[in-house]
Amino acid sequence: MMLIECPWCGPRNETEYGYGGEAHVAYPSDPSALNDNEWAKYLFYRQNPKGLFAERWVHSAGCRRWFNAVRDTVTYEFKAVYKPGEPQPLKTTNAPAQGGTK
Amino acid sequence: MAEQVLTDISVLRTSPLAHLASALEQGSVQGERGVKLREIAFTTQIGVRAEPGTEAHAALSAATGVGLPASVGQVAGNPEGTAVIWSGPDEFLAVAPEGTELFADLVQALGQAPGQVVDLSANRTVIELSGPSAREVLEKGCPADLHPRSFTAGTAITTVLGPVPVVLWKSAEDTFRVLPRASFADYTARWLLDAMAEFASAPID
């Protein structure tokens, strides 16, 4: 059992949370211009790094808000949590695009 | 044939735990390890949403008469009158005794501004667990930190009790109000009765 820090509620049990996959996957600026291959890449293709990884989590049994977290995929340790729109406190391979926070 | 008109439909209401009323009474334990269970039925509950810092938030805050809580755990007001529980950064649950004008006041205060005022009175029921052993009973199935150093009287959190999502409100010292959805009320009450059973006998050394 593990405690995860919600940016709004503080530390709560991991059973209160839901996992939302990789963070900072930018929505295509012109989706209709994408071919099937590119659309599939956007929808389904995700990084699987060893080490620090930015992810989306939702505090579904608490305040029901989404937030971002940097987690070490080797140790499962949460290194940082940050609200959507806030700058990423720790650098990861899937960092938000230059100047963007999404 | 004379037509029968029911003028007060409230006589037809049944609270979610009405069928367990005697079980709650019999399951309650007296004494220094005591723990008591009862339902507080038919409270007025209103879901309120407004972004802090906006005019709508200020207007709703004034209309509740007790303000809106600012952060997690906080409860504005008191358990006997109107209380507003923090359930998210822009989401609140107002709980008041039956028969208040709170809903109409809040709807009027919000007006056409962005936000939400919804009557949720039938959504959740209030189960009150009180007594010296109340915290021990809850700790059997609630993963949140319920120690008095972090969960003080007059605070409330949204969490889970066993598998049931609940609002857990410490309304006074040794008194907890558990607010499960109406459809989970029967299960939650039976779960609590089962958890309370051991306190009826002397502790095993």
Side-chain angles (χ1 to χ4, degrees), chain A residues 1 3 8-13 15-16 59 61-65, chain B residues 49 72 86-91 143-144 157-160 166 181:
Chain A
M1 209 52 87
L3 289 178
W8 288 281
C9 300
R12 294 287 183 87
N13 199 302
T15 52
E16 294 192 7
H59 191 193
C63 63
R64 304 188 301 170
R65 293 304 182 283
Chain B
R49 291 197 73 163
V72 64
W86 187 97
S87 42
D90 61 351
E91 192 172 3
I157 53 171
T158 312
T159 183
V160 288
V166 295
R181 297 244 155 87

Side-chain angles (χ1 to χ4, degrees), chain A residues 41 59 66 74 76 85:
Chain A
K41 281 251 161 71
H59 191 193
W66 286 90
V74 178
Y76 214 92

Side-chain angles (χ1 to χ4, degrees), chain B residues 26-129:
Chain B
Q26 283 162 18
S28 293
V29 180
Q30 310 296 327
E32 61 183 44
R33 297 178 83 215
V35 53
K36 208 172 138 237
L37 194 59
R38 70 175 178 121
E39 183 190 21
I40 305 172
F42 308 129
T43 54
T44 299
Q45 292 171 39
I46 302 162
V48 179
R49 291 197 73 163
E51 194 74 38
T54 59
E55 276 180 37
H57 186 275
L60 289 167
S61 184
T64 61
V66 294
L68 295 174
S71 66
V72 64
Q74 291 185 3
V75 179
N78 65 76
E80 282 70 44
T82 301
V84 187
I85 294 167
W86 187 97
S87 42
D90 61 351
E91 192 172 3
F92 313 93
L93 179 68
V95 184
E98 192 185 355
T100 62
E101 298 296 316
L102 187 60
F103 182 67
D105 294 347
L106 289 173
V107 169
Q108 202 184 0
L110 180 63
Q112 296 301 309
Q116 204 178 66
V117 174
V118 187
D119 189 347
L120 300 175
S121 301
N123 185 31
R124 295 175 188 271
T125 190
V126 182
I127 308 174
E128 190 184 76
L129 187 74

Side-chain angles (χ1 to χ4, degrees), chain A residues 3-95:
Chain A
L3 289 178
I4 298 175
E5 179 103 9
C6 167
W8 288 281
C9 300
R12 294 287 183 87
N13 199 302
E14 63 171 305
T15 52
E16 294 192 7
Y17 293 87
Y19 180 63
E22 180 179 340
H24 312 304
V25 178
Y27 190 74
S29 53
D30 185 7
S32 56
L34 266 53
N35 63 31
D36 287 355
N37 196 14
E38 288 165 333
W39 184 245
K41 281 251 161 71
Y42 162 69
L43 278 186
F44 305 118
Y45 281 63
R46 295 292 181 262
Q47 296 181 32
N48 185 22
K50 184 178 181 183
L52 297 186
F53 190 42
E55 301 168 330
R56 297 160 73 236
W57 284 79
V58 59
H59 191 193
S60 42
C63 63
R64 304 188 301 170
R65 293 304 182 283
W66 286 90
F67 60 94
N68 298 316
V70 175
R71 185 175 66 94
D72 190 323
T73 56
V74 178
T75 62
Y76 214 92
E77 187 184 352
F78 278 72
K79 299 288 190 185
V81 292
Y82 50 109
K83 296 175 186 174
E86 284 185 353
Q88 193 181 24
L90 270 175
K91 197 114 187 76
T92 57
T93 48
N94 62 331

Side-chain angles (χ1 to χ4, degrees), chain B residues 116-190:
Chain B
Q116 204 178 66
V117 174
V118 187
D119 189 347
L120 300 175
S121 301
N123 185 31
R124 295 175 188 271
T125 190
V126 182
I127 308 174
E128 190 184 76
L129 187 74
S130 58
S133 296
R135 176 161 72 98
E136 278 186 75
V137 170
L138 290 174
E139 279 174 343
K140 291 184 182 187
C142 180
D145 185 4
L146 302 184
H147 193 279
R149 76 178 157 240
S150 76
F151 197 53
T152 53
T155 59
I157 53 171
T158 312
T159 183
V160 288
L161 181 62
V164 182
V166 295
V167 174
L168 186 63
W169 174 16
K170 191 171 181 183
S171 55
E173 221 47 69
D174 285 342
T175 304
F176 298 86
R177 290 187 178 181
V178 182
L179 284 74
R181 297 244 155 87
S183 53
F184 291 122
D186 176 88
Y187 176 87
T188 310
R190 291 179 196 274

